[in-house]
Amino acid sequence: MDKIIIRGGKSLSGRIPISGAKNSALTLLPCALLTDEPLTLRNLPRLADVDSFGHLLNQLGVSTMIEGARPEDFGRVMTLRAGRVTATVAPYDIVRKMRASILVLGPLLARAGEATVSLPGGCAIGNRPIDLHLKALEALGAEIEITAGYVTARAPKGGLPGGDFGFPVVSVGATENALMAAVLAKGTSTLRNAAREPEIVDLCNLLVAMGAHIEGIGQSTLVIHGKDRLHGATYRVMADRIEAGSYACAAAITGSPLDLIGAKLDEMEATVAALRQAGVQVDEIADGIAVRPNGTLNAVTLSTAPFPGFATDMQAQFMAMLCMAQGASVLTETIFENRYMHVPELNRMGAHIEVKGRTAVVHGVNRMVGAPVMATDLRASMSLIIAGLAAEGETEVSRIYHLDRGYERLEEKLQAVGADIERVGGD
Ligand code: EPZ
């Protein structure tokens, strides 16, 4: 298996292009199922999960064609067409490798009247149930059945009537599935306490571009007036605010001036506020954001929360940065129950972090030392890269297939701004 080797202590400088957002791409791709016309998505990131989702859609009868990137985009163009949906089953061997496959449930139900998806099971950061997805679809009129590890959703004969649902817990994926089902329902649907992440706004904007009628975009109450059909569209995937935040943490921990091209300040306000609290200057520039550390980092206390709060997907990367801050930071992870697996690895590099339940106390240290470490999940992997950039000596990160799921061309982007980082083939 591949590994990444970093020789830390280098200061970086320059511009890093931010790719299309993984967590937007994975909900925009299944929208192809909602129409028999072509859907063209621009700025798609080159990531393992995007490729896997394309293969899943192929199995459902969706044709996919990849073109190169347009000059103004970093990512590729993919044109998808679900002329006919030839299957409505997402099999276990695909879902177990990519839990975002569950996002075909809503669109398949809406277009074909039924969908069967393997239960995704848990993952490294938590057991990740899908009960809210199913309750929301039931509220829209679907009949749900779970047998032998698969969930089947069926619409009544006349089609999905639509309905109202209040989410007891904010859920990005469940909001996405409900939205993609409601747009083709017979009536009007209201989703309350819906997720408000920028990726949800991106999804709503695509659905509207395809002819959907959605009110309250960006708010926590969404009203969707169902349509008989949607048409094709061409749409550009938003920039990845988590990738941008990750590289901002790399700039901060190495005391390096970096410009993050394509990043949008208003999509990452909580991250920027926390960086500024840590003493890092962050400004909007014509084509992105400029990160200008001042050489020392202040301790920060924060809790993760649904948007517009501090993103759980930024917690591990921010913690890595705070390992070198002055004083003790206190981070509380409120979204997932097991999202501190990066802690023992960071401590092996000389960090001093204590975890008590959902709270981690990060006692700042003056130096970290490179070591062989192991990636456990996507964002934990990036936290090890960030620490390795500042640690003295060599850090070897193994199991970096986790990284390839969410960070496009990571070592190229960091090499281009002066990092001593390379990917080596494993044994
Ligand atoms: C999305 O996951 C993202 N993934 C995650 O990013 C992100 O961490 C998460 O949203 C929160 O922002 C994609 O968009 C592909 P949730 P999702 O439903 O939709 C509980 C990354 O690193 N819950 O908002 O699965 C759940 O257990 C990944 O890029 C239920 O109880 O997250 C969690 O505690 C990791 N029942 C909370 O809600 C449900 O039916 C939020 O989960 C669904 C969720």
Side-chain angles (χ1 to χ4, degrees), residues 215-245:
E215 293 169 270
I217 295 177
Q219 304 304 314
S220 52
T221 297
L222 295 168
V223 178
I224 305 102
H225 303 280
K227 291 294 187 73
D228 293 338
R229 61 188 302 280
L230 296 186
H231 51 71
T234 294
Y235 190 80
R236 185 178 192 275
V237 179
M238 64 177 273
D240 196 319
R241 62 190 173 104
I242 305 299
E243 183 194 23

Side-chain angles (χ1 to χ4, degrees), residues 321-332:
M321 180 195 84
L322 292 171
C323 290
M324 304 283 281
Q326 302 194 336
S329 300
V330 181
L331 300 185
T332 303

Side-chain angles (χ1 to χ4, degrees), residues 9 45 146 387:
I146 294 181

Side-chain angles (χ1 to χ4, degrees), residues 212-293:
H213 183 180
I214 303 173
E215 293 169 270
I217 295 177
Q219 304 304 314
S220 52
T221 297
L222 295 168
V223 178
I224 305 102
H225 303 280
K227 291 294 187 73
D228 293 338
R229 61 188 302 280
L230 296 186
H231 51 71
T234 294
Y235 190 80
R236 185 178 192 275
V237 179
M238 64 177 273
D240 196 319
R241 62 190 173 104
I242 305 299
E243 183 194 23
S246 304
Y247 286 122
C249 291
I253 199 172
T254 55
S256 308
L258 290 180
D259 292 351
L260 307 177
I261 308 310
K264 292 236 173 52
L265 200 73
D266 63 358
E267 291 169 353
M268 42 194 300
E269 282 176 344
T271 296
V272 170
L275 286 164
R276 286 171 174 162
Q277 221 187 318
V280 180
Q281 186 185 330
V282 184
D283 296 302
E284 192 161 32
I285 53 177
D287 54 358
I289 64 172
V291 183
R292 297 290 182 272

